[in-house]
C-alpha cells in the first residue's frame, strides 16, 4: 500500500506539472489552449472525489479503487497511443483526473479495514506520499532533458507508474480476498458452566457448501443454547420447595407441657 501511495501520488503530481509543456511541445497546442488542461485535470479530480463520498457508503474501498485506477491507466495509454491528437489529450486529461480521485482516500480505507490505521501509520503514509510528490516529477524532468524520447518520456513514465499501481492494487485486494475465504468464524456461547467455541475455516469452495457449513454451525449453536436453558429450568423446578417430596407431609410442632 505504501508503494501504491508513492507511485500514485507521484504520477498524479507529475501529470499535472508536465501536461502543459507536453501539450505545447508534443501535441502542438497553443499556449492559451494548453493552459486549460491543468484546470480540467484538477476540476475532474475534485468532481470525482465529491462523487466518491456518497458512493463510499454503498461500495467497498476495493470496488471503488480498481475501476478508477483502470480509468487512469486507460487515459494515459490513450495519450501514449495518440501523442499528437488534441482530442485524445483532452479526453485523457479528464479521465486521468477522475482516475486518481479515489486513490488516497481508499488506500486509507483499506488500512482501516486491515486494522492498521494509527497515528504512526498515518505518518508513514504521509511520508510515502511526500516522497512520490518530490521525486517523480523530478525524474520526469530529468528523463525529458537527458533521454532521446524527449516529451514522450513523460507519458511513458506515466504509463509505467499507473500500470504498476493498478497491478499492486489488484494483488493486494486478491490477497485480502483469499485471506477472507480462509478466515476463522467463531461462534461463542456462554452459560453458567462452560463456554463453547466453534471454529470453521472457509476454504476455496463454492458458495453453497460454505453456506451449508455456516447453517450447520448456527443450528448446533442454537441447539446447545436450548439444551442449556432447559437444563437450568429443570434444576430450578426440582430445587423449588413446592416440588420437594416431603412438602406434602405437614408437621405441626407442639410446645412441651
Amino acid at each position: 500500500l505504501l508503494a501504491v501511495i508513492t507511485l500514485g501520488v507521484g504520477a498524479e503530481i507529475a501529470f499535472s506539472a508536465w501536461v502543459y509543456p507536453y501539450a505545447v511541445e508534443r501535441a502542438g497546442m497553443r499556449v492559451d489552449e494548453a493552459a486549460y488542461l491543468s484546470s480540467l485535470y484538477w476540476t475532474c479530480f475534485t468532481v470525482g472525489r465529491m462523487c466518491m463520498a456518497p458512493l463510499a457508503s454503498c461500495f467497498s474501498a476495493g470496488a471503488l479503487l480498481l475501476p478508477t485506477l483502470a480509468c487512469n491507466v486507460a487515459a494515459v495509454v490513450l495519450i501514449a497511443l495518440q501523442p499528437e491528437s488534441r482530442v485524445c489529450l483532452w479526453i485523457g486529461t479528464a479521465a486521468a483526473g477522475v482516475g486518481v480521485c479515489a486513490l488516497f482516500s481508499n488506500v486509507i480505507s483499506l488500512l482501516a479495514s486491515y486494522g492498521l490505521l494509527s497515528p504512526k501509520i498515518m505518518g508513514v503514509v504521509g511520508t510515502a506520499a511526500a516522497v512520490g510528490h518530490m521525486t517523480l516529477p523530478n525524474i520526469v524532468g530529468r528523463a525529458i532533458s537527458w533521454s532521446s524520447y524527449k516529451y514522450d518520456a513523460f507519458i511513458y513514465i506515466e504509463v509505467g507508474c499507473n500500470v504498476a499501481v493498478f497491478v499492486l492494487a489488484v494483488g493486494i485486494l486478491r490477497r485480502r480476498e483469499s485471506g477472507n475465504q480462509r478466515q476463522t468464524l467463531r461462534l461463542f456461547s456462554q452459560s453458567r458452566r462452560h463456554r463453547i467455541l466453534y471454529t470453521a475455516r472457509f476454504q476455496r469452495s463454492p458458495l453453497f457448501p460454505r453456506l451449508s457449513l455456516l447453517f450447520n454451525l448456527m443450528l448446533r449453536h442454537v441447539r446447545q443454547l436450548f439444551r442449556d436453558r432447559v437444563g437450568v429450568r429443570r434444576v430450578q423446578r426440582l430445587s423449588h420447595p413446592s416440588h420437594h417430596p416431603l412438602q406434602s407431609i405437614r408437621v405441626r410442632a407442639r410446645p412441651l407441657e
Side-chain angles (χ1 to χ4, degrees):
L1 288 175
L2 292 179
V4 169
I5 285 289
T6 303
L7 293 176
V9 174
E12 170 189 338
I13 302 302
F15 189 93
S16 64
W18 287 100
V19 67
Y20 170 77
Y22 177 85
V24 174
E25 299 294 336
R26 187 69 176 87
M29 296 179 66
R30 299 193 309 271
V31 175
D32 56 346
E33 185 181 3
Y36 289 104
L37 286 174
S38 297
S39 299
L40 176 65
Y41 180 78
W42 290 115
T43 300
C44 293
F45 176 88
T46 305
V47 173
R49 182 159 288 187
M50 291 174 62
C51 294
M52 288 296 160
L55 291 177
S57 61
C58 303
F59 301 97
S60 63
L64 295 176
L65 184 61
L66 290 184
T68 52
L69 292 180
C71 178
N72 196 14
V73 171
V76 293
V77 169
L78 177 64
I79 297 174
L81 292 177
Q82 299 291 333
E84 297 180 356
S85 175
R86 299 182 181 182
V87 176
C88 291
L89 185 57
W90 283 103
I91 296 175
T93 302
V98 175
V100 297
C101 67
L103 176 64
F104 192 85
S105 58
N106 284 282
V107 168
I108 299 300
S109 299
L110 286 177
L111 288 173
S113 65
Y114 288 141
L116 300 175
L117 197 60
S118 64
K120 184 180 294 185
I121 295 297
M122 286 302 300
V124 174
V125 170
T127 303
V131 169
H133 187 285
M134 292 185 296
T135 57
L136 204 56
N138 190 20
I139 291 173
V140 171
R142 298 293 181 180
I144 292 174
S145 300
W146 294 347
S147 68
S148 60
Y149 293 104
K150 297 302 179 180
Y151 283 93
D152 286 335
F154 155 66
I155 202 65
Y156 294 156
I157 293 174
E158 285 289 327
V159 170
C161 291
N162 286 298
V163 169
V165 169
F166 182 77
V167 171
L168 287 173
V170 170
I172 291 169
L173 293 175
R174 289 195 62 181
R175 183 176 180 182
R176 183 190 180 193
E177 182 180 356
S178 62
N180 288 338
Q181 289 178 353
R182 295 190 302 267
Q183 70 180 348
T184 302
L185 179 65
R186 293 181 175 89
L187 300 175
F188 294 98
S189 172
Q190 288 187 348
S191 63
R192 294 191 313 167
R193 295 174 296 179
H194 58 274
R195 181 178 182 178
I196 301 173
L197 170 64
Y198 290 129
T199 303
R201 288 189 177 274
F202 284 92
Q203 302 295 337
R204 291 188 177 181
S205 58
L207 181 62
F208 180 74
R210 282 184 283 171
L211 291 177
S212 62
L213 177 60
L214 178 61
F215 178 76
N216 291 331
L217 288 174
M218 294 179 65
L219 185 61
R220 291 174 59 185
H221 180 69
V222 172
R223 286 178 180 175
Q224 187 63 40
L225 283 177
F226 179 75
R227 290 172 183 172
D228 291 342
R229 292 186 178 182
V230 170
V232 171
R233 288 180 182 177
R234 286 180 180 176
V235 172
Q236 291 177 352
R237 187 174 66 251
L238 293 177
S239 61
H240 196 273
S242 61
H243 294 86
H244 200 275
L246 299 179
Q247 182 65 25
S248 59
I249 303 175
R250 297 180 178 179
V251 180
R252 179 177 295 178
R254 295 180 181 181
L256 297 176
E257 295 179 355

